Amino acid sequence: MTANFANASVFLVQTFFGLYLILVLVRFLMQVSRADYYNPICQVVVRLTDPAIKPFNKVLPRILGIDFATLIVALLVQVVAISLVMLLTGNLIFHPTYIGWALVGLASMILDIYFFTLIAMVIASWIAPYSDHPAMSLIIQLTDPICAPARKLLPSMGGLDFSIILVFVVITLIDTFLVIQPLVIALGIPSGLVLGLN
C-alpha cells in the first residue's frame, strides 16, 4: 500500500511539474524564435508562467536575446521535481548531481518539444496546408529557426520539403547517440526519474 502511494505521488509530481516545465520551455523557445506575442496561445503561455518568471526578470539580464530568467525557472522546476521524486522514493532530498541531471533533462525536453512540433507541422501540412490557426502559426515560428539552415542545405524539390527529415535526423543523433544518452550514462541518471528523459 505504501509503495502504491509513493508511486502515485511520483506520478502526480512528474505530471504537474512536467506540464509546467513544458510551458516554461515553450516560453523560452518563443523568445528565442521571436514568436508573435499577440498570438492568443503565446499570451496564455506568458500569463501562466509570468508569476514565476517576473521576480527573476528583475535581477537577471537578457543577453543576446536569451532570457536567463526563464531558463533559471525551468532549472528550478526540474530540480524541485527531481528532489521531490527522490524524497518520495526514500533517497536524499538534494544532492549537487541533481543540477547536472536537471540540465540534461532540460536539453532533452527542448529536443522533444522540437521533435513533436515538427511532427505536428508535418501532419498539419497534409490536413490543412493553408491554415492560419494560432497554433499552426506558433508551430511554424518555433520550428523556423531550426528548419531554416536545413532548407539551405536541402531546398524544396517539386513542392516537397525534405529539410524536415534532415532536422529529425539531427535531433535523433543529438538525443540518442551524441549528447543526451551519453550524458545520461556518464552521470548515472536513474531511468524514469528526470522530466524529459525516458
Side-chain angles (χ1 to χ4, degrees), residues 16 32 34 46 75-76 82 95 105 126 156 160 164 181 198:
F16 290 111
V32 169
R34 305 201 191 297
V46 169
L75 182 62
L76 287 173
I82 292 169
H95 192 276
W126 295 337
S156 115
L160 297 173
I164 291 175
Q181 288 308 316
N198 299 329

Side-chain angles (χ1 to χ4, degrees), residues 57-92:
N57 269 332
K58 294 174 183 173
V59 291
L60 293 170
R62 189 181 288 224
I63 301 170
L64 300 173
I66 297 174
D67 185 4
F68 284 97
T70 306
L71 280 179
I72 291 297
V73 169
L75 182 62
L76 287 173
V77 169
Q78 181 76 287
V79 170
V80 169
I82 292 169
S83 298
L84 286 173
V85 169
M86 293 300 275
L87 178 65
L88 291 166
T89 54
N91 294 291
L92 289 173

Side-chain angles (χ1 to χ4, degrees), residues 93-147:
I93 190 167
F94 182 75
H95 192 276
T97 56
Y98 296 176
I99 296 170
W101 295 0
L103 290 168
V104 175
L106 291 179
S108 178
M109 193 170 273
I110 287 172
L111 290 175
D112 288 344
I113 291 169
Y114 276 130
F115 187 86
F116 289 111
T117 50
L118 283 167
I119 288 176
M121 187 171 77
V122 169
I123 292 170
S125 70
W126 295 337
I127 297 170
Y130 304 108
S131 172
D132 60 350
H133 190 277
M136 194 60 206
S137 300
L138 178 58
I139 286 170
I140 290 168
Q141 289 169 351
L142 286 178
T143 56
D144 196 51
I146 61 168
C147 289

Side-chain angles (χ1 to χ4, degrees), residues 30-46:
M30 283 166 27
Q31 293 163 342
V32 169
S33 62
R34 305 201 191 297
D36 176 16
Y37 271 72
Y38 291 106
N39 183 319
I41 296 173
C42 294
Q43 290 178 356
V44 169
V45 170
V46 169

